[in-house]
Amino acid sequence: MDYPKSVPSVGLVNGRFVDENPLAGTPGSLIPAVWGNSVTQEILGVISAAGITPSEADTGQLIKALQAILGRSSPMRSVVTRLTASKSLAPDELGLVLIDASAGANTVTLPAANAALGIRDVIVRRVDNSGNRLTVRASGSDRIRFHTHLAANGYLFLVLMGGGDWWHLRSDEAGVWWPVGRFDATALGRISFECTRQVIPGGYAVLNGNLLVRSDWPWLWDYAQLSGALVNEASRSGNEGAWTSGDGATTFRIPDIRGEFLRVLDEARGVDIDRSAGSRQMYALESHNHYLPTSSGSANRPGPAIADASWDVTRDVNAAPATGIVGTTYPNPLFFSGPEMVGNIGSFGTETRPRNIAYPARIKLI
């Protein structure tokens, strides 16, 4: 649009409107109807393009329309919202949402992801490091479409775990919030080792066999069912590294690997046969022979000289029976394993283990 240059005698000066000048005797500019209608129509075009119904009584519609239209090309607004309690977010609060759940469990509900909202971004970020549950929920039947390999439609809510945990979400005008980014995108169910026992952000927990409520962790229950390492609660003993189905209706249990050594699952290689994922295996020693030295050693059984030798070394410990101390016959399996054992070899404990370092293990819960 432009000034009404095509309309004669409207009192324009250099193509612009002017006021009346009584001293000079010059009239003010006239505004022709065609131009006034043109300006109005230009503004209404912007308002309508934003999906807003024009209202004569609302003088703020143009700025609202511009915000909506600009939001579609740049959906993240320069807005910071701070929350300390549960709340349903309004569209004008979307931007960076900082949430403090230190006072108790909080639920923050997103606006409806419909055409009226448009394509909008929000970053929800947790600022406290308490253990209180912090839920970010979609409105009504809307969905947050994460872990779609487990559920194509996504889930009704997510949880922020640990101070600094954040998700960046974008609405699609069709009832869905899509994750654009997040603090920790490590795969669900991944086990990691830490050099701290503190709560770490990103969705982690101790692998301690906790009993969880299925409706609180629907994506994790879906994962457990598809894991190939799910047993019923009665079979938990000996399968502590597996998931369990809990009470069979409302709960389930995460694995417990505290204090255990880990071994790679055989998966048909044939080295560690007939093992199921998450099963526990007791300690054992490989079958082997022990030999006692002669008084002077020999080619087959070398050893230091023993004064006043009193050992019969003509048989190994797997032969039975054999003469141990001269004049006494012992069944050889007892040589190193019973009250009649011959000598002490090394330091003994409650298990067979290599030298090791203990680090806390964590599992990704979301």
Side-chain angles (χ1 to χ4, degrees):
M1 61 175 297
D2 199 355
Y3 287 95
K5 298 175 181 178
S6 61
V7 181
S9 303
V10 294
L12 298 179
V13 176
N14 296 323
R16 295 178 179 273
F17 294 112
V18 295
D19 292 327
E20 178 184 5
N21 188 339
L23 296 178
T26 57
S29 301
L30 299 177
I31 298 178
V34 65
W35 187 86
N37 291 335
S38 175
V39 172
T40 303
Q41 193 57 50
E42 289 270 5
I43 296 172
L44 289 176
V46 175
I47 293 172
S48 297
I52 300 173
T53 301
S55 171
E56 185 178 355
D58 188 348
T59 59
Q61 288 190 308
L62 179 59
I63 186 61
K64 293 176 185 176
L66 290 172
Q67 287 176 337
I69 293 170
L70 290 173
R72 291 170 184 166
S73 59
S74 179
M76 177 59 72
R77 305 283 177 80
S78 298
V79 175
V80 178
T81 301
R82 291 177 170 84
L83 303 177
T84 58
S86 297
K87 190 182 190 304
S88 293
L89 290 171
D92 60 1
E93 293 177 306
L94 298 182
L96 174 60
V97 181
L98 303 175
I99 312 166
D100 186 343
S102 58
N106 278 6
T107 297
V108 175
T109 304
L110 300 169
N114 52 26
L117 179 68
I119 299 174
R120 293 289 300 278
D121 279 20
V122 61
I123 296 176
V124 285
R125 182 185 178 103
R126 182 169 189 155
V127 298
D128 69 288
N129 205 41
S130 72
N132 297 326
R133 185 176 175 90
L134 176 51
T135 303
V136 177
R137 181 174 291 275
S139 175
S141 60
D142 286 1
R143 296 279 179 149
I144 305 173
R145 201 156 286 180
F146 66 99
H147 295 331
T148 53
H149 64 295
L150 300 173
N153 290 329
Y155 296 92
L156 295 172
F157 62 91
L158 57 84
V159 291
L160 294 175
M161 300 179 64
D165 192 15
W166 59 266
W167 287 59
H168 180 179
L169 306 172
R170 177 170 296 166
S171 61
D172 69 352
E173 301 183 300
V176 174
W177 288 91
W178 291 90
V180 177
R182 59 179 295 192
F183 175 80
D184 190 325
T186 303
L188 179 67
R190 184 73 53 81
I191 294 174
S192 64
F193 293 93
E194 305 296 333
C195 55
T196 176
R197 297 187 64 185
Q198 299 301 312
V199 175
I200 56 175
Y204 293 88
V206 181
L207 280 138
N208 57 5
N210 263 0
L211 200 63
L212 303 180
V213 177
R214 298 181 187 183
S215 59
D216 286 345
W217 305 91
W219 54 86
L220 197 61
W221 171 235
D222 288 343
Y223 176 89
Q225 292 179 89
L226 296 173
S227 68
L230 179 67
V231 300
N232 58 45
E233 189 71 12
S235 302
R236 186 180 177 220
S237 179
N239 290 289
E240 289 87 346
W243 306 81
T244 83
S245 53
D247 64 4
T250 62
T251 63
F252 69 107
R253 194 181 297 276
I254 67 175
D256 187 353
I257 66 170
R258 293 171 297 172
E260 302 285 359
F261 293 101
L262 302 181
R263 183 173 187 172
V264 177
L265 189 66
D266 186 280
E267 296 192 278
R269 185 184 179 195
V271 175
D272 188 27
I273 302 171
D274 296 331
R275 295 287 303 281
S276 58
S279 63
R280 173 167 52 85
Q281 186 180 59
M282 292 301 291
Y283 45 78
L285 288 175
E286 185 179 6
S287 176
H288 61 286
N289 295 330
H290 288 269
Y291 300 102
L292 296 175
T294 66
S295 59
S296 59
S298 71
N300 294 325
R301 296 179 174 88
I306 299 178
D308 300 322
S310 57
W311 306 107
D312 178 1
V313 295
T314 58
R315 311 176 72 126
D316 62 47
V317 296
N318 285 325
T323 302
I325 298 176
V326 172
T328 305
T329 299
Y330 293 88
N332 275 310
L334 296 179
F335 263 31
F336 296 101
S337 60
E340 299 89 354
M341 71 177 66
V342 178
N344 255 340
I345 300 179
S347 299
F348 293 93
T350 58
E351 63 182 355
T352 300
R353 64 175 182 265
R355 177 175 172 174
N356 61 85
I357 293 175
Y359 271 139
R362 300 290 183 261
I363 183 172
K364 194 75 157 55
L365 295 187
I366 181 169

mmCIF file of all heavy atoms in Angstrom, residues 45-95:
data_model
loop_
_atom_site.group_PDB
_atom_site.id
_atom_site.type_symbol
_atom_site.label_atom_id
_atom_site.label_comp_id
_atom_site.label_asym_id
_atom_site.label_seq_id
_atom_site.Cartn_x
_atom_site.Cartn_y
_atom_site.Cartn_z
ATOM 1 N N GLY A 45 -5.871 -8.345 7.200
ATOM 2 C CA GLY A 45 -5.217 -9.470 6.531
ATOM 3 C C GLY A 45 -4.194 -10.139 7.437
ATOM 4 O O GLY A 45 -4.068 -11.375 7.458
ATOM 5 N N VAL A 46 -3.447 -9.343 8.198
ATOM 6 C CA VAL A 46 -2.464 -9.903 9.126
ATOM 7 C C VAL A 46 -3.160 -10.653 10.253
ATOM 8 O O VAL A 46 -2.757 -11.767 10.633
ATOM 9 C CB VAL A 46 -1.574 -8.779 9.701
ATOM 10 C CG1 VAL A 46 -0.622 -9.334 10.751
ATOM 11 C CG2 VAL A 46 -0.814 -8.082 8.590
ATOM 12 N N ILE A 47 -4.238 -10.058 10.794
ATOM 13 C CA ILE A 47 -4.964 -10.686 11.899
ATOM 14 C C ILE A 47 -5.578 -12.013 11.457
ATOM 15 O O ILE A 47 -5.489 -13.028 12.160
ATOM 16 C CB ILE A 47 -6.045 -9.724 12.428
ATOM 17 C CG1 ILE A 47 -5.379 -8.512 13.071
ATOM 18 C CG2 ILE A 47 -6.974 -10.432 13.412
ATOM 19 C CD1 ILE A 47 -6.339 -7.402 13.451
ATOM 20 N N SER A 48 -6.177 -12.025 10.276
ATOM 21 C CA SER A 48 -6.798 -13.255 9.778
ATOM 22 C C SER A 48 -5.761 -14.327 9.474
ATOM 23 O O SER A 48 -5.984 -15.519 9.711
ATOM 24 C CB SER A 48 -7.621 -12.950 8.516
ATOM 25 O OG SER A 48 -8.674 -12.056 8.816
ATOM 26 N N ALA A 49 -4.604 -13.914 8.970
ATOM 27 C CA ALA A 49 -3.550 -14.885 8.653
ATOM 28 C C ALA A 49 -3.044 -15.586 9.908
ATOM 29 O O ALA A 49 -2.531 -16.704 9.842
ATOM 30 C CB ALA A 49 -2.392 -14.192 7.937
ATOM 31 N N ALA A 50 -3.198 -14.951 11.064
ATOM 32 C CA ALA A 50 -2.776 -15.553 12.316
ATOM 33 C C ALA A 50 -3.839 -16.441 12.923
ATOM 34 O O ALA A 50 -3.635 -17.023 13.996
ATOM 35 C CB ALA A 50 -2.396 -14.462 13.310
ATOM 36 N N GLY A 51 -4.998 -16.553 12.241
ATOM 37 C CA GLY A 51 -6.071 -17.398 12.751
ATOM 38 C C GLY A 51 -6.892 -16.734 13.836
ATOM 39 O O GLY A 51 -7.586 -17.411 14.604
ATOM 40 N N ILE A 52 -6.851 -15.407 13.907
ATOM 41 C CA ILE A 52 -7.590 -14.656 14.928
ATOM 42 C C ILE A 52 -8.821 -14.025 14.299
ATOM 43 O O ILE A 52 -8.756 -13.462 13.200
ATOM 44 C CB ILE A 52 -6.694 -13.563 15.550
ATOM 45 C CG1 ILE A 52 -5.463 -14.195 16.208
ATOM 46 C CG2 ILE A 52 -7.469 -12.731 16.574
ATOM 47 C CD1 ILE A 52 -4.447 -13.177 16.708
ATOM 48 N N THR A 53 -9.951 -14.112 14.988
ATOM 49 C CA THR A 53 -11.185 -13.486 14.506
ATOM 50 C C THR A 53 -11.155 -12.000 14.826
ATOM 51 O O THR A 53 -10.993 -11.619 15.998
ATOM 52 C CB THR A 53 -12.419 -14.123 15.167
ATOM 53 O OG1 THR A 53 -12.432 -15.521 14.870
ATOM 54 C CG2 THR A 53 -13.696 -13.486 14.661
ATOM 55 N N PRO A 54 -11.279 -11.133 13.818
ATOM 56 C CA PRO A 54 -11.203 -9.679 14.075
ATOM 57 C C PRO A 54 -12.293 -9.212 15.038
ATOM 58 O O PRO A 54 -13.432 -9.688 15.001
ATOM 59 C CB PRO A 54 -11.390 -9.058 12.681
ATOM 60 C CG PRO A 54 -10.984 -10.134 11.727
ATOM 61 C CD PRO A 54 -11.406 -11.417 12.371
ATOM 62 N N SER A 55 -11.912 -8.298 15.938
ATOM 63 C CA SER A 55 -12.863 -7.738 16.905
ATOM 64 C C SER A 55 -12.626 -6.239 17.001
ATOM 65 O O SER A 55 -11.511 -5.785 17.279
ATOM 66 C CB SER A 55 -12.682 -8.392 18.275
ATOM 67 O OG SER A 55 -13.450 -7.722 19.259
ATOM 68 N N GLU A 56 -13.693 -5.464 16.791
ATOM 69 C CA GLU A 56 -13.588 -4.003 16.840
ATOM 70 C C GLU A 56 -13.197 -3.518 18.239
ATOM 71 O O GLU A 56 -12.537 -2.504 18.401
ATOM 72 C CB GLU A 56 -14.919 -3.374 16.416
ATOM 73 C CG GLU A 56 -14.880 -1.863 16.312
ATOM 74 C CD GLU A 56 -16.211 -1.285 15.846
ATOM 75 O OE1 GLU A 56 -17.121 -2.082 15.523
ATOM 76 O OE2 GLU A 56 -16.342 -0.047 15.809
ATOM 77 N N ALA A 57 -13.578 -4.293 19.268
ATOM 78 C CA ALA A 57 -13.324 -3.870 20.649
ATOM 79 C C ALA A 57 -11.914 -4.208 21.136
ATOM 80 O O ALA A 57 -11.474 -3.695 22.170
ATOM 81 C CB ALA A 57 -14.350 -4.512 21.582
ATOM 82 N N ASP A 58 -11.207 -5.036 20.406
ATOM 83 C CA ASP A 58 -9.860 -5.463 20.837
ATOM 84 C C ASP A 58 -8.814 -4.691 20.034
ATOM 85 O O ASP A 58 -8.660 -4.896 18.820
ATOM 86 C CB ASP A 58 -9.708 -6.963 20.610
ATOM 87 C CG ASP A 58 -8.422 -7.517 21.206
ATOM 88 O OD1 ASP A 58 -7.545 -6.711 21.599
ATOM 89 O OD2 ASP A 58 -8.274 -8.753 21.274
ATOM 90 N N THR A 59 -8.101 -3.828 20.721
ATOM 91 C CA THR A 59 -7.095 -3.015 20.022
ATOM 92 C C THR A 59 -5.701 -3.635 20.063
ATOM 93 O O THR A 59 -4.733 -3.005 19.629
ATOM 94 C CB THR A 59 -7.031 -1.607 20.649
ATOM 95 O OG1 THR A 59 -6.693 -1.744 22.041
ATOM 96 C CG2 THR A 59 -8.364 -0.878 20.512
ATOM 97 N N GLY A 60 -5.593 -4.866 20.590
ATOM 98 C CA GLY A 60 -4.294 -5.521 20.657
ATOM 99 C C GLY A 60 -4.143 -6.684 19.703
ATOM 100 O O GLY A 60 -3.202 -7.487 19.833
ATOM 101 N N GLN A 61 -5.028 -6.784 18.736
ATOM 102 C CA GLN A 61 -5.015 -7.958 17.856
ATOM 103 C C GLN A 61 -3.844 -7.967 16.879
ATOM 104 O O GLN A 61 -3.347 -9.031 16.519
ATOM 105 C CB GLN A 61 -6.335 -8.053 17.087
ATOM 106 C CG GLN A 61 -7.512 -8.469 17.965
ATOM 107 C CD GLN A 61 -8.741 -8.783 17.145
ATOM 108 O OE1 GLN A 61 -9.174 -7.985 16.313
ATOM 109 N NE2 GLN A 61 -9.305 -9.959 17.381
ATOM 110 N N LEU A 62 -3.403 -6.804 16.460
ATOM 111 C CA LEU A 62 -2.322 -6.775 15.479
ATOM 112 C C LEU A 62 -1.036 -7.333 16.077
ATOM 113 O O LEU A 62 -0.361 -8.153 15.445
ATOM 114 C CB LEU A 62 -2.108 -5.352 14.970
ATOM 115 C CG LEU A 62 -0.981 -5.185 13.934
ATOM 116 C CD1 LEU A 62 -1.240 -6.058 12.708
ATOM 117 C CD2 LEU A 62 -0.820 -3.721 13.530
ATOM 118 N N ILE A 63 -0.706 -6.945 17.313
ATOM 119 C CA ILE A 63 0.522 -7.447 17.921
ATOM 120 C C ILE A 63 0.411 -8.942 18.213
ATOM 121 O O ILE A 63 1.372 -9.697 18.055
ATOM 122 C CB ILE A 63 0.865 -6.655 19.211
ATOM 123 C CG1 ILE A 63 2.225 -7.094 19.757
ATOM 124 C CG2 ILE A 63 -0.220 -6.823 20.252
ATOM 125 C CD1 ILE A 63 3.372 -6.874 18.823
ATOM 126 N N LYS A 64 -0.782 -9.391 18.622
ATOM 127 C CA LYS A 64 -0.977 -10.823 18.842
ATOM 128 C C LYS A 64 -0.786 -11.600 17.537
ATOM 129 O O LYS A 64 -0.194 -12.680 17.512
ATOM 130 C CB LYS A 64 -2.366 -11.095 19.399
ATOM 131 C CG LYS A 64 -2.594 -10.555 20.804
ATOM 132 C CD LYS A 64 -4.038 -10.781 21.237
ATOM 133 C CE LYS A 64 -4.314 -10.136 22.596
ATOM 134 N NZ LYS A 64 -5.741 -10.274 22.977
ATOM 135 N N ALA A 65 -1.298 -11.037 16.464
ATOM 136 C CA ALA A 65 -1.168 -11.703 15.169
ATOM 137 C C ALA A 65 0.293 -11.765 14.735
ATOM 138 O O ALA A 65 0.767 -12.791 14.234
ATOM 139 C CB ALA A 65 -2.004 -10.964 14.121
ATOM 140 N N LEU A 66 1.006 -10.673 14.937
ATOM 141 C CA LEU A 66 2.416 -10.660 14.559
ATOM 142 C C LEU A 66 3.211 -11.676 15.380
ATOM 143 O O LEU A 66 4.093 -12.366 14.850
ATOM 144 C CB LEU A 66 2.988 -9.257 14.748
ATOM 145 C CG LEU A 66 2.500 -8.194 13.767
ATOM 146 C CD1 LEU A 66 2.997 -6.816 14.181
ATOM 147 C CD2 LEU A 66 2.932 -8.515 12.343
ATOM 148 N N GLN A 67 2.902 -11.791 16.684
ATOM 149 C CA GLN A 67 3.596 -12.768 17.530
ATOM 150 C C GLN A 67 3.334 -14.186 17.057
ATOM 151 O O GLN A 67 4.242 -15.024 17.007
ATOM 152 C CB GLN A 67 3.143 -12.594 18.978
ATOM 153 C CG GLN A 67 3.683 -11.352 19.647
ATOM 154 C CD GLN A 67 3.126 -11.169 21.047
ATOM 155 O OE1 GLN A 67 2.057 -11.686 21.381
ATOM 156 N NE2 GLN A 67 3.834 -10.410 21.861
ATOM 157 N N ALA A 68 2.066 -14.461 16.687
ATOM 158 C CA ALA A 68 1.721 -15.805 16.237
ATOM 159 C C ALA A 68 2.412 -16.140 14.925
ATOM 160 O O ALA A 68 2.943 -17.239 14.733
ATOM 161 C CB ALA A 68 0.201 -15.933 16.093
ATOM 162 N N ILE A 69 2.423 -15.196 13.997
ATOM 163 C CA ILE A 69 3.032 -15.442 12.697
ATOM 164 C C ILE A 69 4.547 -15.572 12.827
ATOM 165 O O ILE A 69 5.160 -16.472 12.241
ATOM 166 C CB ILE A 69 2.656 -14.310 11.718
ATOM 167 C CG1 ILE A 69 1.158 -14.355 11.410
ATOM 168 C CG2 ILE A 69 3.465 -14.427 10.429
ATOM 169 C CD1 ILE A 69 0.643 -13.157 10.645
ATOM 170 N N LEU A 70 5.155 -14.696 13.616
ATOM 171 C CA LEU A 70 6.606 -14.794 13.827
ATOM 172 C C LEU A 70 6.960 -16.068 14.566
ATOM 173 O O LEU A 70 8.026 -16.657 14.337
ATOM 174 C CB LEU A 70 7.101 -13.573 14.604
ATOM 175 C CG LEU A 70 7.081 -12.240 13.854
ATOM 176 C CD1 LEU A 70 7.431 -11.092 14.792
ATOM 177 C CD2 LEU A 70 8.036 -12.278 12.670
ATOM 178 N N GLY A 71 6.071 -16.507 15.453
ATOM 179 C CA GLY A 71 6.314 -17.732 16.190
ATOM 180 C C GLY A 71 6.405 -18.948 15.298
ATOM 181 O O GLY A 71 7.109 -19.917 15.615
ATOM 182 N N ARG A 72 5.701 -18.896 14.165
ATOM 183 C CA ARG A 72 5.757 -20.037 13.254
ATOM 184 C C ARG A 72 7.103 -20.116 12.533
ATOM 185 O O ARG A 72 7.577 -21.201 12.197
ATOM 186 C CB ARG A 72 4.621 -19.926 12.229
ATOM 187 C CG ARG A 72 3.252 -20.134 12.858
ATOM 188 C CD ARG A 72 2.137 -19.787 11.912
ATOM 189 N NE ARG A 72 0.838 -19.899 12.558
ATOM 190 C CZ ARG A 72 -0.282 -19.415 12.055
ATOM 191 N NH1 ARG A 72 -0.270 -18.778 10.885
ATOM 192 N NH2 ARG A 72 -1.420 -19.560 12.711
ATOM 193 N N SER A 73 7.722 -18.987 12.301
ATOM 194 C CA SER A 73 9.032 -19.006 11.656
ATOM 195 C C SER A 73 10.153 -19.095 12.671
ATOM 196 O O SER A 73 11.219 -19.608 12.386
ATOM 197 C CB SER A 73 9.206 -17.752 10.793
ATOM 198 O OG SER A 73 9.081 -16.586 11.596
ATOM 199 N N SER A 74 9.916 -18.631 13.890
ATOM 200 C CA SER A 74 10.880 -18.720 14.987
ATOM 201 C C SER A 74 10.101 -19.097 16.242
ATOM 202 O O SER A 74 9.711 -18.228 17.033
ATOM 203 C CB SER A 74 11.607 -17.388 15.174
ATOM 204 O OG SER A 74 12.518 -17.469 16.248
ATOM 205 N N PRO A 75 9.852 -20.387 16.436
ATOM 206 C CA PRO A 75 8.917 -20.815 17.479
ATOM 207 C C PRO A 75 9.389 -20.589 18.909
ATOM 208 O O PRO A 75 8.592 -20.661 19.831
ATOM 209 C CB PRO A 75 8.738 -22.307 17.202
ATOM 210 C CG PRO A 75 9.924 -22.710 16.404
ATOM 211 C CD PRO A 75 10.353 -21.512 15.640
ATOM 212 N N MET A 76 10.661 -20.299 19.147
ATOM 213 C CA MET A 76 11.139 -20.073 20.508
ATOM 214 C C MET A 76 11.072 -18.588 20.833
ATOM 215 O O MET A 76 11.689 -17.761 20.160
ATOM 216 C CB MET A 76 12.569 -20.593 20.669
ATOM 217 C CG MET A 76 13.166 -20.319 22.048
ATOM 218 S SD MET A 76 12.225 -21.036 23.406
ATOM 219 C CE MET A 76 12.606 -22.766 23.162
ATOM 220 N N ARG A 77 10.298 -18.245 21.865
ATOM 221 C CA ARG A 77 10.162 -16.863 22.291
ATOM 222 C C ARG A 77 11.192 -16.515 23.359
ATOM 223 O O ARG A 77 11.663 -17.373 24.096
ATOM 224 C CB ARG A 77 8.759 -16.626 22.870
ATOM 225 C CG ARG A 77 7.638 -17.021 21.933
ATOM 226 C CD ARG A 77 7.435 -16.000 20.835
ATOM 227 N NE ARG A 77 6.409 -16.431 19.906
ATOM 228 C CZ ARG A 77 5.103 -16.318 20.126
ATOM 229 N NH1 ARG A 77 4.681 -15.807 21.261
ATOM 230 N NH2 ARG A 77 4.233 -16.722 19.224
ATOM 231 N N SER A 78 11.492 -15.249 23.471
ATOM 232 C CA SER A 78 12.421 -14.767 24.501
ATOM 233 C C SER A 78 11.644 -14.511 25.787
ATOM 234 O O SER A 78 11.466 -13.368 26.229
ATOM 235 C CB SER A 78 13.126 -13.489 24.018
ATOM 236 O OG SER A 78 13.884 -13.742 22.863
ATOM 237 N N VAL A 79 11.164 -15.606 26.381
ATOM 238 C CA VAL A 79 10.361 -15.530 27.599
ATOM 239 C C VAL A 79 10.962 -16.477 28.624
ATOM 240 O O VAL A 79 11.327 -17.604 28.298
ATOM 241 C CB VAL A 79 8.888 -15.927 27.317
ATOM 242 C CG1 VAL A 79 8.092 -15.962 28.615
ATOM 243 C CG2 VAL A 79 8.260 -14.967 26.328
ATOM 244 N N VAL A 80 11.084 -16.028 29.866
ATOM 245 C CA VAL A 80 11.536 -16.880 30.962
ATOM 246 C C VAL A 80 10.427 -16.950 31.995
ATOM 247 O O VAL A 80 9.977 -15.923 32.510
ATOM 248 C CB VAL A 80 12.828 -16.345 31.610
ATOM 249 C CG1 VAL A 80 13.241 -17.235 32.777
ATOM 250 C CG2 VAL A 80 13.948 -16.261 30.583
ATOM 251 N N THR A 81 9.969 -18.176 32.288
ATOM 252 C CA THR A 81 8.924 -18.398 33.277
ATOM 253 C C THR A 81 9.500 -19.218 34.414
ATOM 254 O O THR A 81 10.135 -20.250 34.172
ATOM 255 C CB THR A 81 7.726 -19.142 32.644
ATOM 256 O OG1 THR A 81 7.213 -18.356 31.555
ATOM 257 C CG2 THR A 81 6.637 -19.378 33.665
ATOM 258 N N ARG A 82 9.284 -18.778 35.654
ATOM 259 C CA ARG A 82 9.796 -19.480 36.830
ATOM 260 C C ARG A 82 8.635 -20.041 37.641
ATOM 261 O O ARG A 82 7.699 -19.304 37.989
ATOM 262 C CB ARG A 82 10.657 -18.537 37.674
ATOM 263 C CG ARG A 82 11.966 -18.146 37.003
ATOM 264 C CD ARG A 82 12.754 -17.152 37.842
ATOM 265 N NE ARG A 82 14.095 -16.959 37.316
ATOM 266 C CZ ARG A 82 14.396 -16.121 36.328
ATOM 267 N NH1 ARG A 82 13.434 -15.407 35.749
ATOM 268 N NH2 ARG A 82 15.633 -16.010 35.888
ATOM 269 N N LEU A 83 8.730 -21.335 37.961
ATOM 270 C CA LEU A 83 7.656 -22.001 38.685
ATOM 271 C C LEU A 83 8.197 -22.682 39.930
ATOM 272 O O LEU A 83 9.305 -23.227 39.919
ATOM 273 C CB LEU A 83 6.984 -23.050 37.792
ATOM 274 C CG LEU A 83 6.397 -22.575 36.458
ATOM 275 C CD1 LEU A 83 5.844 -23.767 35.687
ATOM 276 C CD2 LEU A 83 5.326 -21.523 36.679
ATOM 277 N N THR A 84 7.403 -22.662 41.003
ATOM 278 C CA THR A 84 7.741 -23.391 42.226
ATOM 279 C C THR A 84 6.601 -24.297 42.666
ATOM 280 O O THR A 84 6.672 -24.903 43.732
ATOM 281 C CB THR A 84 8.070 -22.408 43.367
ATOM 282 O OG1 THR A 84 6.959 -21.542 43.583
ATOM 283 C CG2 THR A 84 9.305 -21.588 43.036
ATOM 284 N N ALA A 85 5.553 -24.374 41.855
ATOM 285 C CA ALA A 85 4.400 -25.216 42.181
ATOM 286 C C ALA A 85 3.778 -25.718 40.888
ATOM 287 O O ALA A 85 4.113 -25.248 39.787
ATOM 288 C CB ALA A 85 3.377 -24.428 43.002
ATOM 289 N N SER A 86 2.862 -26.654 40.999
ATOM 290 C CA SER A 86 2.187 -27.206 39.826
ATOM 291 C C SER A 86 1.417 -26.102 39.099
ATOM 292 O O SER A 86 0.838 -25.210 39.723
ATOM 293 C CB SER A 86 1.225 -28.317 40.242
ATOM 294 O OG SER A 86 1.933 -29.395 40.823
ATOM 295 N N LYS A 87 1.392 -26.185 37.765
ATOM 296 C CA LYS A 87 0.741 -25.135 36.978
ATOM 297 C C LYS A 87 0.466 -25.606 35.561
ATOM 298 O O LYS A 87 1.237 -26.399 35.004
ATOM 299 C CB LYS A 87 1.630 -23.883 36.917
ATOM 300 C CG LYS A 87 0.933 -22.656 36.327
ATOM 301 C CD LYS A 87 1.882 -21.476 36.263
ATOM 302 C CE LYS A 87 1.150 -20.189 35.920
ATOM 303 N NZ LYS A 87 0.385 -20.305 34.651
ATOM 304 N N SER A 88 -0.626 -25.094 34.984
ATOM 305 C CA SER A 88 -0.890 -25.270 33.557
ATOM 306 C C SER A 88 -0.341 -24.036 32.843
ATOM 307 O O SER A 88 -0.755 -22.902 33.130
ATOM 308 C CB SER A 88 -2.390 -25.409 33.296
ATOM 309 O OG SER A 88 -2.887 -26.604 33.852
ATOM 310 N N LEU A 89 0.583 -24.244 31.935
ATOM 311 C CA LEU A 89 1.229 -23.131 31.257
ATOM 312 C C LEU A 89 0.295 -22.470 30.247
ATOM 313 O O LEU A 89 -0.417 -23.153 29.500
ATOM 314 C CB LEU A 89 2.489 -23.607 30.544
ATOM 315 C CG LEU A 89 3.676 -24.013 31.421
ATOM 316 C CD1 LEU A 89 4.751 -24.669 30.569
ATOM 317 C CD2 LEU A 89 4.240 -22.807 32.163
ATOM 318 N N ALA A 90 0.312 -21.137 30.208
ATOM 319 C CA ALA A 90 -0.395 -20.384 29.181
ATOM 320 C C ALA A 90 0.535 -20.212 27.981
ATOM 321 O O ALA A 90 1.761 -20.253 28.131
ATOM 322 C CB ALA A 90 -0.818 -19.022 29.721
ATOM 323 N N PRO A 91 -0.017 -20.004 26.793
ATOM 324 C CA PRO A 91 0.839 -19.850 25.610
ATOM 325 C C PRO A 91 1.895 -18.759 25.755
ATOM 326 O O PRO A 91 3.022 -18.910 25.277
ATOM 327 C CB PRO A 91 -0.169 -19.514 24.499
ATOM 328 C CG PRO A 91 -1.428 -20.200 24.930
ATOM 329 C CD PRO A 91 -1.456 -20.059 26.420
ATOM 330 N N ASP A 92 1.539 -17.645 26.435
ATOM 331 C CA ASP A 92 2.523 -16.565 26.543
ATOM 332 C C ASP A 92 3.591 -16.841 27.591
ATOM 333 O O ASP A 92 4.487 -16.022 27.797
ATOM 334 C CB ASP A 92 1.824 -15.233 26.825
ATOM 335 C CG ASP A 92 1.028 -15.230 28.118
ATOM 336 O OD1 ASP A 92 1.015 -16.260 28.824
ATOM 337 O OD2 ASP A 92 0.395 -14.195 28.417
ATOM 338 N N GLU A 93 3.530 -18.008 28.278
ATOM 339 C CA GLU A 93 4.565 -18.394 29.235
ATOM 340 C C GLU A 93 5.579 -19.352 28.620
ATOM 341 O O GLU A 93 6.551 -19.735 29.275
ATOM 342 C CB GLU A 93 3.933 -19.045 30.466
ATOM 343 C CG GLU A 93 3.094 -18.085 31.305
ATOM 344 C CD GLU A 93 2.428 -18.771 32.469
ATOM 345 O OE1 GLU A 93 1.724 -19.779 32.228
ATOM 346 O OE2 GLU A 93 2.595 -18.318 33.619
ATOM 347 N N LEU A 94 5.335 -19.749 27.380
ATOM 348 C CA LEU A 94 6.252 -20.677 26.723
ATOM 349 C C LEU A 94 7.525 -19.955 26.320
ATOM 350 O O LEU A 94 7.504 -18.837 25.830
ATOM 351 C CB LEU A 94 5.593 -21.300 25.488
ATOM 352 C CG LEU A 94 4.346 -22.147 25.742
ATOM 353 C CD1 LEU A 94 3.840 -22.733 24.428
ATOM 354 C CD2 LEU A 94 4.620 -23.247 26.743
ATOM 355 N N GLY A 95 8.624 -20.629 26.529
ATOM 356 C CA GLY A 95 9.958 -20.102 26.267
ATOM 357 C C GLY A 95 10.899 -20.973 27.073
ATOM 358 O O GLY A 95 10.917 -22.193 26.920
#
